[in-house]
Each structure stands twice: as C-alpha cells, then as structure tokens.
C-alpha cells in the first residue's frame, strides 16, 4: 500500500514538472534593449553587450533548421541551440505567434542569435537601436 502511494506521488510530481516545462518553455521570449546591451528573456535567455555585437541584420527567411542540440522545441517554438544549414551552431528564439522578420545578431565569436520579431516595426526599431549603440 505505501509503495503504491509513493509511486503515485512520484509519477504525479514528474508529470507536473514536465507540464510546467512545456508551459514555461512555450512562453515567447522577449527582447529587451538595456543600457549596456540586449537581453532575451525566458528559458535559454541571454544577455549580450553591445560591444560584443559585430553585426545585426533583418531577414525574411533563415536557412533550414536541421536539429536541436540543446534547447526547447515544441509547437512552433524554438529556444536554445540548434544546428542551422549554412551557419552551423545557432541560438534561436522563434515563436509561432511571431510572424515578423528575423533579427540576426552575430557576436565576436561568430555565433548567430536569431530572434523572430512580431512585426516589421519591431524589427526595424531593434535594428536601429542596436546599430546606434554599437558606434
């Protein structure tokens, strides 16, 4: 009897944890402009200083994502590290609800970070803001 209750509790806690990760991971990442750099919030989020950004561009499409290497991928949401054709290891922050262009930020190490914006206005505002602060 006791072992059955313990097994039930372990299964319940495991399922609750998995559901929490799916729900938390599905939440869109938010890109914030701060004094010293940019911050992308949420699971697999990051902070990148303006001085470490070597280029920033906007694109309507990106090369095909080949596989997830260390990240979250569920229901049209990708966050974390992925292998992307032509680029290799790339950080992605894309969400099915965001339909705007991709913001592609490259750092000093050549690592690309791709953030899909929700519209052209956001993409251009972030692009202009980062470019003006890198000078």
């Amino acid at each position: 009897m006791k072992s059955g209750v313990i097994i039930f509790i372990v299964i319940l806690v495991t399922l609750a944890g998995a559901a929490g990760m799916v729900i938390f991971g599905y939440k869109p990442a938010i890109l914030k402009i701060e004094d010293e750099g940019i911050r992308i919030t949420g699971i697999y989020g990051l902070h990148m200083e303006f001085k470490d950004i070597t280029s920033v561009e906007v694109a309507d499409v990106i090369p095909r994502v080949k596989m997830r290497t260390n990240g979250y991928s569920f229901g049209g949401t990708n966050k974390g590290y992925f292998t992307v054709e032509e680029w290799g290891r790339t950080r992605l922050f894309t969400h099915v609800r965001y339909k705007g262009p991709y913001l592609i930020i490259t750092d000093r190490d050549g690592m690309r970070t791709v953030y899909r914006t929700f519209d052209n206005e956001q993409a251009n505002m972030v692009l202009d803001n980062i470019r003006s602060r890198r000078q």
Side-chain angles (χ1 to χ4, degrees):
M1 178 77 167
K2 279 188 175 184
S3 65
V5 171
I6 292 172
I7 291 172
F8 175 75
I9 291 171
V10 168
I11 290 171
L12 190 63
V13 168
T14 302
L15 290 174
M21 285 300 294
V22 168
I23 292 166
F24 180 67
Y26 187 73
K27 185 177 176 184
I30 304 297
L31 189 145
K32 297 179 179 182
I33 304 288
E34 299 179 339
D35 291 338
E36 297 296 319
I38 63 166
R39 180 172 307 280
I40 299 178
T41 65
I43 190 169
Y44 295 97
L46 65 91
H47 178 265
M48 186 182 301
E49 293 188 14
F50 292 119
K51 65 182 177 115
D52 294 328
I53 296 172
T54 58
S55 72
V56 59
E57 60 187 292
V58 172
D60 291 327
V61 295
I62 61 171
R64 185 175 73 86
V65 177
K66 290 170 63 174
M67 68 183 225
R68 174 177 46 108
T69 56
N70 181 11
Y72 173 93
S73 183
F74 180 78
T77 298
N78 293 318
K79 297 178 185 179
Y81 293 90
F82 294 77
T83 301
V84 176
E85 274 186 4
E86 301 172 32
W87 294 348
R89 191 167 192 234
T90 304
R91 282 186 294 246
L92 294 181
F93 296 93
T94 62
H95 194 279
V96 69
R97 283 193 275 170
Y98 289 8
K99 305 288 188 200
Y102 297 93
L103 188 66
I104 304 165
I105 304 165
T106 306
D107 67 19
R108 290 179 191 244
D109 298 326
M111 172 68 77
R112 286 181 181 87
T113 299
V114 177
Y115 178 84
R116 187 150 195 198
T117 59
F118 48 82
D119 62 19
N120 288 329
E121 186 177 327
Q122 182 198 25
N124 290 326
M125 186 270 307
V126 172
L127 179 71
D128 292 343
N129 207 320
I130 292 173
R131 284 183 173 165
S132 70
R133 292 177 186 236
R134 284 184 41 234
Q135 315 264 338

